Amino acid sequence: MLNFPLITYFGVVGSVISTVLSETAVTSVQLFYVRKTLNLSMIFKGKWKYFFAGAIMYGIVRYANSIFPGKIYFFGIEVFIGIIIYLILIFILKAPILTLANNLISK
């Protein structure tokens, strides 16, 4: 419904906007219907750590992108930098996924 007008006016960015709005609407409706069944505060516990790590990683990779020329191998370096930064921050922040991974490994 939103795709056609947004793509017409904004091109690829319009498609991105439409997709994000659609996914947000679907997720909101799903959370609304399961709010009494699931403990939503438990689901979102610790999510700020992932968001924070992602935001810091984005800033660093964005800065690296402005320094490196637009070559494909520099893109690979940026991806590698992003992965390393994200993993380091997840360990520093002690994100809940570390406990889950440890439980899976120790079984």
Side-chain angles (χ1 to χ4, degrees):
M1 180 177 204
L2 289 174
N3 276 338
F4 185 73
L6 288 175
I7 291 172
T8 302
Y9 291 114
F10 301 111
V12 174
V13 175
S15 177
V16 171
I17 293 169
S18 176
T19 302
V20 168
L21 290 174
S22 298
E23 289 295 326
T24 301
V26 168
T27 302
S28 298
V29 169
Q30 289 174 339
L31 288 173
F32 176 78
Y33 281 109
V34 299
R35 74 186 185 284
K36 293 178 184 172
T37 307
L38 299 176
N39 184 357
L40 295 181
S41 63
M42 188 63 157
I43 290 173
F44 292 109
K45 180 183 176 186
K47 299 302 184 242
W48 70 269
K49 296 176 181 182
Y50 304 110
F51 179 77
F52 181 75
I56 297 298
M57 178 202 64
Y58 170 78
I60 292 171
V61 170
R62 181 76 178 194
Y63 177 72
N65 187 36
S66 69
I67 293 173
F68 296 139
K71 305 285 185 193
I72 190 70
Y73 51 87
F74 285 116
F75 174 72
I77 293 170
E78 291 169 18
V79 169
F80 182 73
I81 290 170
I83 291 170
I84 297 301
I85 295 296
Y86 188 77
L87 289 176
I88 289 170
L89 288 170
I90 290 299
F91 277 103
I92 290 172
L93 296 171
K94 296 181 179 145
I97 193 144
L98 297 175
T99 305
L100 292 171
N102 191 23
N103 290 341
L104 285 174
I105 292 170
S106 63
K107 283 187 178 182

